[in-house]
Amino acid sequence: MAGTKRIGFLLFDGVKALDYVGPAEVFVEANQATKAYEVILLSPSGAAVTTSVGGVAVSASAADAPPLDTLIVPGSEQAPSVFVTDELLTAAATLVDRSARVVSICSGAFVLAELGLLDGRGATTHWKFAEDLARRFPRVDVQPDRIFVRDRYVATSAGVAAGIDLSLALVEDDLGAAAARRVAQGLLIYLRRSGEQTQFSTPLRAAAVPDSPVRVITELIAQDPAYRHSVISLARHVNISPRHLTRLFQDEVGMSPAEYAASVRFDLARSWLEAGCSVAQAASDAGFSSAEALRRTFAARLGVSPSAYRRRFRSQLDVTAPMAVRTIAGL
């Protein structure tokens, strides 16, 4: 297998199966066109491990592992204080020393942080672990909204899907955009996301109290995000004052009604761009007053133009755009 890149996954008791299976399948799929990768499963001792869905055998212990082009450390649904053991840290340190690049999936970032690999670097993890990571490791620049972060030879990602996104990015680095596109097609991954994208959309961030006026308004906005709601009309809809509605929104979702509606429209515009729509069409369908208004919003929020975003993150297959559009539209 001369010329192949060796990808090693460090597994351990309690590892989340999808954290390594999803990314591993990306590299295996790349081998359909060319034998570019050798994927090996490792554990601290070389013994089989108990994953979230059952037992899995491995190829070797960390100490017996060959040199790696990429070491990937997946995460766990267990608390980091439980699964990040001394044995796991020793194994990871051994493998880091023989790896050209190092990657974590989800809470696997805690392993890299314990080893000091994330000190002075940008990093991310699943949003539910981000606060703990930042608190325990103040020298790490934790970026909780990011899908994945690459800082020199170290990369970290959020949850399961983000690990797949990051693996596709690594394939693109290794084999080029065309190869990554074939892998995405083979795995039926229609939209490729970048690390700059947020882990969750505005509606998912909104933790409105059930049966509260805020929940009623967020559902109203979700039904027609492009409609230009005013605070007065929204307050009238739930029979309270605009000031009281604004105060409830700040308490329950951390932003004003206007800011929430604007964020939902922005997320909708991004979805249309990812589906292949033009900037003008995305602006119109998402409720922006003009394409220029959408450009200003993109520049302020992401630091890129809608056209650049569309080129980078849209579906790689034109034939998939109608399906993406139908999904967005709820059809």
Side-chain angles (χ1 to χ4, degrees), residues 67-123:
L68 303 174
D69 291 281
T70 303
L71 166 65
I72 299 181
V73 182
S76 173
E77 287 295 335
Q78 298 175 349
S81 59
V82 174
F83 81 84
V84 183
T85 62
D86 289 341
E87 182 186 36
L88 178 58
L89 290 173
T90 298
T94 298
L95 293 171
V96 165
D97 287 342
R98 60 187 69 170
S99 302
R101 61 189 178 193
V102 180
V103 171
S104 69
I105 310 295
C106 192
S107 56
F110 284 82
V111 176
L112 305 192
E114 287 282 4
L115 296 178
L117 284 177
L118 302 184
D119 288 352
R121 300 183 192 270

Side-chain angles (χ1 to χ4, degrees), residues 107-271:
S107 56
F110 284 82
V111 176
L112 305 192
E114 287 282 4
L115 296 178
L117 284 177
L118 302 184
D119 288 352
R121 300 183 192 270
T124 194
T125 185
H126 192 287
W127 60 265
K128 66 183 179 182
F129 296 114
E131 184 177 349
D132 188 31
L133 184 66
R135 178 183 57 80
R136 291 176 54 186
F137 303 98
R139 296 183 64 186
V140 181
D141 176 18
V142 179
Q143 300 171 29
D145 275 9
R146 298 281 294 277
I147 291 294
F148 60 80
V149 176
R150 294 199 282 178
D151 195 328
R152 288 160 285 174
Y153 71 95
V154 177
T156 53
S157 70
V160 173
I164 294 173
D165 294 321
L166 176 53
S167 298
L168 277 171
L170 297 179
V171 170
E172 184 170 351
D173 285 349
D174 295 340
L175 307 177
R181 185 162 55 247
R182 287 193 298 269
V183 171
Q185 293 169 6
L187 296 177
L188 298 181
I189 302 172
Y190 294 140
L191 301 178
R192 294 174 55 230
R193 302 179 297 168
S194 158
E196 283 73 22
Q197 288 186 269
T198 183
Q199 288 191 30
F200 36 78
S201 65
T202 297
L204 291 179
R205 297 184 188 195
V209 177
D211 300 323
S212 74
V214 173
R215 175 62 62 87
V216 174
I217 295 304
T218 57
E219 291 178 353
L220 178 66
I221 292 172
Q223 290 170 11
D224 188 4
Y227 185 79
R228 304 297 292 187
H229 298 279
S230 70
V231 177
I232 293 176
S233 67
L234 292 173
R236 187 180 298 121
H237 186 80
V238 289
N239 297 315
I240 61 177
S241 71
R243 178 178 296 182
H244 185 43
L245 179 62
T246 298
R247 184 166 57 250
L248 288 175
F249 255 84
Q250 290 288 356
D251 290 344
E252 294 184 30
V253 302
M255 62 184 76
S256 71
E259 290 169 334
Y260 179 83
S263 293
V264 172
R265 284 194 296 272
F266 179 68
D267 285 345
L268 180 61
R270 291 199 314 179
S271 296

